[in-house]
Amino acid sequence: MNQQVQKNTLYVGGLAEEANETILHSAFIPFGDIKDVKTPLDQATQKHRSFGFVTFLEREDAAAAMDNMDGAELYGRVLTVNYALPEKIKGGEQGWAAQPIWADADTWFERQQQEEEMQRIQAENRASMQAAEELHRKKLADEREGEKDETDTKDDPMAIAEAEAVKQNDS
């Protein structure tokens, strides 16, 4: 996936239940000035979901914090610290929170038309293949029928006698 990394914002995973935004701020402040700290809440339990985001004012401070805090312990839990990826809007093609939800509307219609065209072509191909298979089966059946007629009259004495009797009755 080609997601653009946010160099000032760090993802901090593996947070203990006791950790909150104040504690997260305190743990990361030694590395530089912090702009924002967030710990998204689970809607059902109203507790954080074991991860948070720390946004620094300077990229260098974020890099230093990541280098020093990745693998560190906080409240007995090992932290995972990486650069954060942009938030996604559910259902949006690009998924970036910075884009309006209608940003991919034009490409959506194009994709729909391309998908319909592809389905039409596939249906035509299936119909052509079925017609070709049916033609092939008919040709094989005709060949077998022709072989049967030849072998029936050549090898079967009853068929020969019957054919001669029919010829005599016709004359």
Side-chain angles (χ1 to χ4, degrees), residues 112-130:
Q112 289 299 107
Q113 288 175 336
Q114 289 171 351
E115 191 173 310
E116 289 171 6
E117 180 68 15
M118 185 62 95
Q119 288 174 351
R120 185 186 65 76
I121 290 170
Q122 288 174 345
E124 287 176 1
N125 286 345
R126 278 193 299 271
S128 297
M129 289 297 289
Q130 287 174 347

Coordinates of all heavy atoms in Angstrom, one line a residue, residues 112-130:
Q112 N -17.2 1.8 -12.2 CA -18.4 1.1 -12.4 C -18.6 0.8 -13.9 O -19.0 -0.3 -14.2 CB -19.6 1.9 -11.9 CG -19.7 2.0 -10.4 CD -19.8 0.6 -9.7 OE1 -18.9 0.1 -9.2 NE2 -21.0 0.0 -9.9
Q113 N -18.4 1.8 -14.8 CA -18.5 1.6 -16.2 C -17.5 0.5 -16.7 O -17.9 -0.4 -17.5 CB -18.3 2.9 -17.0 CG -19.5 3.8 -16.8 CD -19.2 5.2 -17.5 OE1 -18.1 5.6 -17.7 NE2 -20.3 5.9 -17.8
Q114 N -16.3 0.6 -16.2 CA -15.3 -0.4 -16.6 C -15.7 -1.8 -16.1 O -15.5 -2.8 -16.9 CB -13.9 0.0 -16.1 CG -13.3 1.2 -16.7 CD -12.0 1.7 -16.0 OE1 -11.7 1.2 -14.9 NE2 -11.3 2.6 -16.6
E115 N -16.2 -1.9 -14.9 CA -16.6 -3.2 -14.4 C -17.8 -3.8 -15.2 O -17.8 -5.0 -15.5 CB -17.0 -3.0 -12.9 CG -17.2 -4.3 -12.2 CD -17.4 -4.1 -10.7 OE1 -16.7 -3.4 -10.1 OE2 -18.4 -4.7 -10.2
E116 N -18.8 -2.9 -15.6 CA -19.9 -3.4 -16.4 C -19.4 -3.8 -17.8 O -19.9 -4.9 -18.3 CB -20.9 -2.3 -16.5 CG -21.7 -2.0 -15.2 CD -22.6 -0.8 -15.3 OE1 -22.7 -0.2 -16.4 OE2 -23.1 -0.4 -14.3
E117 N -18.5 -3.1 -18.4 CA -17.9 -3.4 -19.7 C -17.2 -4.8 -19.6 O -17.3 -5.6 -20.5 CB -17.0 -2.3 -20.2 CG -16.4 -2.6 -21.5 CD -17.3 -2.6 -22.7 OE1 -18.5 -2.1 -22.5 OE2 -17.0 -3.1 -23.7
M118 N -16.4 -5.0 -18.5 CA -15.7 -6.2 -18.3 C -16.6 -7.4 -18.2 O -16.4 -8.4 -18.7 CB -14.8 -6.1 -17.1 CG -13.9 -7.3 -16.9 SD -12.8 -7.5 -18.3 CE -11.4 -6.7 -17.6
Q119 N -17.7 -7.2 -17.4 CA -18.7 -8.3 -17.3 C -19.4 -8.6 -18.6 O -19.6 -9.8 -18.9 CB -19.8 -7.9 -16.2 CG -19.2 -7.9 -14.8 CD -20.2 -7.3 -13.8 OE1 -21.3 -6.8 -14.2 NE2 -19.9 -7.5 -12.5
R120 N -19.7 -7.6 -19.4 CA -20.3 -7.8 -20.7 C -19.3 -8.6 -21.6 O -19.8 -9.6 -22.3 CB -20.6 -6.5 -21.4 CG -21.4 -6.6 -22.7 CD -21.6 -5.2 -23.4 NE -20.3 -4.6 -23.8 CZ -19.6 -5.0 -24.8 NH1 -20.0 -6.0 -25.6 NH2 -18.5 -4.4 -25.2
I121 N -18.1 -8.2 -21.6 CA -17.1 -8.9 -22.4 C -16.9 -10.4 -22.0 O -16.9 -11.3 -22.8 CB -15.7 -8.2 -22.4 CG1 -15.8 -6.9 -23.2 CG2 -14.6 -9.1 -22.9 CD1 -14.6 -6.0 -23.0
Q122 N -16.9 -10.6 -20.6 CA -16.8 -11.9 -20.1 C -18.0 -12.8 -20.5 O -17.9 -14.0 -20.8 CB -16.6 -11.9 -18.6 CG -15.3 -11.4 -18.1 CD -15.2 -11.2 -16.6 OE1 -16.2 -11.2 -15.9 NE2 -13.9 -11.1 -16.1
A123 N -19.2 -12.2 -20.5 CA -20.4 -12.9 -20.9 C -20.4 -13.3 -22.3 O -20.7 -14.4 -22.7 CB -21.7 -12.1 -20.6
E124 N -19.9 -12.3 -23.2 CA -19.7 -12.7 -24.6 C -18.7 -13.8 -24.8 O -18.9 -14.7 -25.6 CB -19.3 -11.4 -25.4 CG -20.4 -10.4 -25.6 CD -19.8 -9.1 -26.2 OE1 -18.6 -9.0 -26.6 OE2 -20.6 -8.2 -26.4
N125 N -17.6 -13.7 -24.1 CA -16.6 -14.8 -24.2 C -17.2 -16.1 -23.8 O -16.9 -17.2 -24.4 CB -15.4 -14.4 -23.4 CG -14.5 -13.4 -24.0 OD1 -14.7 -13.1 -25.2 ND2 -13.6 -12.8 -23.2
R126 N -17.9 -16.1 -22.7 CA -18.5 -17.4 -22.2 C -19.5 -18.0 -23.3 O -19.5 -19.1 -23.6 CB -19.3 -17.2 -20.9 CG -18.4 -17.2 -19.7 CD -19.2 -17.4 -18.4 NE -20.0 -16.2 -18.2 CZ -19.7 -15.1 -17.6 NH1 -18.5 -15.0 -17.1 NH2 -20.6 -14.2 -17.4
A127 N -20.3 -17.1 -23.9 CA -21.3 -17.5 -24.9 C -20.5 -18.0 -26.1 O -20.9 -19.1 -26.7 CB -22.2 -16.3 -25.3
S128 N -19.4 -17.4 -26.5 CA -18.6 -17.8 -27.7 C -18.0 -19.2 -27.4 O -18.0 -20.1 -28.2 CB -17.5 -16.8 -28.0 OG -18.1 -15.6 -28.4
M129 N -17.5 -19.4 -26.2 CA -16.9 -20.6 -25.8 C -17.9 -21.8 -25.8 O -17.7 -22.9 -26.3 CB -16.2 -20.5 -24.4 CG -15.0 -19.7 -24.4 SD -13.7 -20.4 -25.5 CE -13.2 -21.8 -24.5
Q130 N -19.1 -21.5 -25.3 CA -20.2 -22.5 -25.3 C -20.6 -22.9 -26.7 O -20.8 -24.0 -27.0 CB -21.4 -22.0 -24.5 CG -21.1 -22.0 -23.0 CD -22.3 -21.3 -22.2 OE1 -23.2 -20.7 -22.8 NE2 -22.2 -21.5 -20.9

